Amino acid sequence: MLILGLDPSLSCTGWGLIRAEGSRISHIANGQVPTDAKAPMAERLAALQAALGAVIAEYRPDRAAAEEVFVNKNPQSTLKLAQARGCVLAACGAAGLTVNEHAARLVKKAVVGTGGADKAQVQAMLKVLLPGAQIAGADAADALAVAIADAHLSYTPTSR
């Protein structure tokens, strides 16, 4: 099962692809999709959707997982995040992918063991769970954490 984890953001969306075989996970690929802050909003959103569409076409994941949207103190930031998230979901929908959504605290708990983990703790655990993986940056790390959480949260051992 190939799972594409997504960390939507207008400035830089992270993506991470893992293979989940039972309770085992392995790293396949990861990356980041930055957008030009000086470009018009429509161009930024189109570039984001096209880039993720290309990732999906290249790797052909079985499903995707994304962090649920959270509300910032700044309404403009929340709106921009929602627009980027819409592009991410549209790219998945266009490819026929199911998208599971997980709260950030649940992702941290699934990966680190506590919902209050900080980014450094999540990144340290990624090194343990995905040894040898070269991670493209903080946004890609967050996306890999989402994919791992989705694999853990969806895994149920078969009874014999």
Side-chain angles (χ1 to χ4, degrees):
M1 167 81 50
L2 291 179
I3 303 171
L4 176 63
L6 299 161
D7 180 38
S9 170
L10 183 59
S11 61
C12 186
T13 290
W15 62 270
L17 191 71
I18 64 165
R19 180 180 309 281
E21 297 171 312
S23 62
R24 292 187 218 175
I25 58 167
S26 57
H27 176 262
I28 302 298
N30 70 85
Q32 299 184 139
V33 180
T35 65
D36 180 359
K38 295 177 184 169
M41 181 63 75
E43 284 180 28
R44 292 177 79 181
L45 296 173
L48 176 57
Q49 187 171 355
L52 288 177
V55 168
I56 293 167
E58 179 178 353
Y59 293 102
R60 304 176 59 81
D62 297 299
R63 72 170 184 250
E67 268 191 9
E68 288 180 345
V69 72
F70 60 92
V71 178
N72 293 301
K73 291 179 182 174
N74 180 339
Q76 285 290 16
S77 296
T78 301
L79 182 58
K80 289 177 182 178
L81 173 61
Q83 289 172 321
R85 195 167 178 280
C87 285
V88 167
L89 295 178
C92 291
L97 289 179
T98 298
V99 181
N100 295 327
E101 300 178 58
H102 305 292
R105 290 187 63 82
L106 186 60
V107 169
K108 293 174 184 178
K109 183 170 182 159
V111 174
V112 178
T114 176
D118 62 26
K119 285 188 177 286
Q121 290 172 301
V122 171
Q123 291 175 9
M125 187 55 78
L126 288 177
K127 290 178 184 177
V128 172
L129 295 172
L130 304 172
Q134 297 297 314
I135 300 175
D139 296 305
D142 289 348
L144 284 167
V146 171
I148 291 168
D150 187 67
H152 289 326
L153 294 167
S154 301
Y155 173 71
T156 53
T158 56
S159 39
R160 296 182 186 217

